[in-house]
């Protein structure tokens, strides 16, 4: 009787479990080196733009939460957001500056856990750069995280999606340099926004105020690199410069832990009985 009850409970919980898988962002591990980036576990966005005409462009905003599935923001229609279980989501909008309009075009589930959709798993893969087979990788410090998604329509074809995030060690000097660069870009953006407001009679644009480089709130930056097809898979490439990717830094909490601390691995199932 107990076994039958437990089996029935598991069956009932399966839909919830499929969407509550969390990345173990406190223990991304490869070759006995652990990286704890749990401090970065909050949604962060970068954006890229493609001009079509002098007055129209496509803006794609890529949002990632490195620790858990993204939650739908209040007030956003369901069709304008990625499927439940998504870790990395791309939102594409068409902007017409002449008509001052913004039109939603697509929601792209780039990486996530989609067991109930098509059986696709997140399948996270961690590569420590110092021990990578690539000579160019070994010159860097940090790790590369690969996250898989499901197939999504692209130019009338179903194309597999994937996100590759390269976490690079950022020292204090690089942090100051990145901050100065962000300050300059912020001033340029504010000046451009003021100019646009003057031209539009003070009306504000209603699409996300972000760019190809975003401040992560912890002294580091997330940078958009590319979103292109590689071997039949469309790959979003991001670069995250952070002190938490430094192997021997006191800023990396993983250095205070023992290597055999009993973590489950790359992701953890949340089960509430």
């Amino acid at each position: 009787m107990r076994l039958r009850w437990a089996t029935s409970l598991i069956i009932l919980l399966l839909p919830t479990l499929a969407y509550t898988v969390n990345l173990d962002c406190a223990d991304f591990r490869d070759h006995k080196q652990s990286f704890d980036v749990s401090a970065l576990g909050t949604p962060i966005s970068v954006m890229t733009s493609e001009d079509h005409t002098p007055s129209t462009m496509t803006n794609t905003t890529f949002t990632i939460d490195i620790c858990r599935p993204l939650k739908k923001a209040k007030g956003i229609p369901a069709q304008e957001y990625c499927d439940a279980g998504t870790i990395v989501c791309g939102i594409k909008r068409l902007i017409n500056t002449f008509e001052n309009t913004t039109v939603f075009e697509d929601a792209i589930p780039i990486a996530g856990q989609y067991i109930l959709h098509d059986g696709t798993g997140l399948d996270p893969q961690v590569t420590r750069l110092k021990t990578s087979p690539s000579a160019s990788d070994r010159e860097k410090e940090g790790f590369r995280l690969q996250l898989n998604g499901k197939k999504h329509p692209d130019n009338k074809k179903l194309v597999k999606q994937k996100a590759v995030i390269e976490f690079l060690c950022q020292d204090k000097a690089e942090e100051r340099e990145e901050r100065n660069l962000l300050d300059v870009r912020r001033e340029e953006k504010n000046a451009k926004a003021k100019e646009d407001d003057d031209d539009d009679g003070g009306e504000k644009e209603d699409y996300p105020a972000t760019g190809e480089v975003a401040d992560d709130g912890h002294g580091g930056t997330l940078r958009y690199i590319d979103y292109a097809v590689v071997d039949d898979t469309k790959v979003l490439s991001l670069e995250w410069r952070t002190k938490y990717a430094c192997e021997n830094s006191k800023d990396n909490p993983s250095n205070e832990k023992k290597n055999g601390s009993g973590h489950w691995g790359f992701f953890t199932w949340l089960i509430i009985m």
Side-chain angles (χ1 to χ4, degrees):
M1 179 65 73
R2 282 187 178 181
L3 180 59
R4 183 178 300 174
W5 177 87
T7 303
S8 300
L9 182 59
I10 290 173
I11 292 173
L12 289 172
L13 285 172
L14 275 176
T16 303
L17 293 177
Y19 296 135
T20 56
V21 58
N22 283 9
L23 281 167
D24 190 358
C25 55
D27 188 21
F28 287 131
R29 183 185 295 268
D30 184 39
H31 283 78
K32 298 184 179 180
Q33 175 63 46
S34 175
F35 297 91
D36 183 349
V37 295
S38 56
L40 305 177
T42 189
I44 180 173
S45 300
V46 288
M47 182 184 69
T48 183
S49 301
E50 179 183 356
D51 293 329
H52 301 298
T53 70
S55 62
T56 61
M57 71 179 86
T58 296
N59 279 2
T60 305
T61 301
F62 299 101
T63 302
I64 177 174
D65 189 327
I66 202 60
C67 293
R68 59 192 62 84
L70 295 165
K71 294 181 179 180
K72 189 176 84 67
K74 293 181 179 178
I76 296 180
Q79 67 271 22
E80 296 186 18
Y81 215 75
C82 288
D83 298 324
T86 298
I87 297 283
V88 185
C89 177
I91 300 295
K92 186 184 291 186
R93 296 181 176 90
L94 180 65
I95 311 297
N96 189 315
T97 56
F98 180 75
E99 298 178 356
N100 194 27
T101 58
T102 301
V103 179
F104 167 81
E105 281 199 332
D106 199 10
I108 311 165
I110 295 169
Q113 190 78 8
Y114 307 114
I115 297 299
L116 294 185
H117 286 273
D118 59 3
T120 304
L122 190 60
D123 190 23
Q125 298 177 32
V126 175
T127 302
R128 182 190 180 204
L129 298 178
K130 281 189 174 181
T131 52
S132 166
S134 168
S136 60
D137 279 351
R138 293 195 296 271
E139 295 176 358
K140 297 178 285 189
E141 182 176 349
F143 67 100
R144 183 179 295 111
L145 177 65
Q146 176 179 300
L147 304 172
N148 292 293
K150 60 180 181 176
K151 291 182 178 180
H152 187 76
D154 187 277
N155 291 327
K156 299 181 180 180
K157 288 177 56 180
L158 283 176
V159 179
K160 185 84 164 61
Q161 303 289 317
K162 179 192 297 185
V164 177
I165 308 101
E166 194 165 276
F167 290 82
L168 298 177
C169 173
Q170 177 176 259
D171 60 25
K172 296 296 182 183
E174 289 177 322
E175 182 178 329
R176 287 193 296 270
E177 184 179 335
E178 286 284 343
R179 271 232 188 263
N180 291 336
L181 177 61
L182 281 171
D183 288 341
V184 170
R185 292 191 176 187
R186 194 174 291 115
E187 289 175 6
E188 291 175 348
K189 183 185 292 184
N190 290 340
K192 177 68 166 57
K194 186 179 185 304
E195 181 182 329
D196 292 342
D197 285 349
D198 292 340
D199 292 342
D200 298 336
E203 294 183 6
K204 295 186 180 296
E205 296 169 322
D206 58 356
Y207 53 88
T210 182
E212 292 192 353
V213 181
D215 186 339
D216 68 8
H218 294 270
T221 55
L222 177 65
R223 185 186 304 270
Y224 167 83
I225 302 299
D226 194 19
Y227 182 48
V229 175
V230 180
D231 297 330
D232 298 325
T233 299
K234 196 152 190 183
V235 181
L236 171 65
S237 299
L238 303 173
E239 179 188 276
W240 204 323
R241 292 184 176 270
T242 172
K243 59 189 176 183
Y244 300 114
C246 301
E247 294 189 2
N248 298 313
S249 170
K250 64 181 180 181
D251 292 316
N252 191 340
S254 66
N255 291 323
E256 300 176 4
K257 304 172 184 175
K258 296 180 180 179
N259 281 335
S261 58
H263 283 286
W264 283 21
F266 298 151
F267 54 88
T268 304
W269 295 97
L270 300 181
I271 304 177
I272 301 176
M273 303 290 283

